[in-house]
Amino acid sequence: MNAAAVSMFDKPAVAAPKKALTAGQRKALQAVGQFRHHRQTFSGGWYIGNRYCQRGTVAALMKEGLVRREKNPGRGKGYRLELTMAGQIVLERLGS
């Protein structure tokens, strides 16, 4: 099977998000979908809206392919988190 034949639904986080993601990861994913303002701290953690998420939580979401880090278009400096297509599907499945 080649890489093009692999579906995003083959990922455990997309197929069964309540089992594959921890409670902190689910809350962080919901925060990324809810808030526009994200900023990374010097320690590597993230403020997503008014919520703080640890570096490992966001890194796990990136590893699963649910969020990606992009340049912040509004301010011209810094980075923000963006939901991927898989992240949007997981967010829908979580019912938020």
Side-chain angles (χ1 to χ4, degrees):
M1 184 180 330
N2 61 11
V6 175
S7 170
M8 77 173 78
F9 292 101
D10 292 336
K11 294 182 176 189
V14 178
K18 289 185 180 178
K19 290 182 181 179
L21 299 176
T22 65
Q25 291 170 347
R26 289 191 301 263
K27 287 181 182 180
L29 188 67
Q30 290 169 340
V32 170
Q34 180 180 4
F35 296 108
R36 297 182 351 180
H37 300 288
H38 315 137
R39 67 181 172 94
Q40 193 170 16
T41 64
F42 288 114
S43 65
W46 285 85
Y47 277 105
I48 304 171
N50 60 352
R51 299 176 185 169
Y52 178 76
C53 297
Q54 294 181 353
R55 174 179 34 183
T57 303
V58 175
L61 293 175
M62 287 180 174
K63 184 178 177 184
E64 288 289 332
L66 303 177
V67 297
R68 66 178 170 260
R69 190 180 98 160
E70 291 189 350
K71 285 290 247 182
N72 193 348
R75 293 184 172 164
K77 63 178 182 177
Y79 292 92
R80 65 177 304 224
L81 298 172
E82 184 84 22
L83 285 175
T84 62
M85 183 62 75
Q88 292 173 3
I89 291 170
V90 169
L91 205 55
E92 262 185 46
R93 287 187 172 203
L94 289 173
S96 61

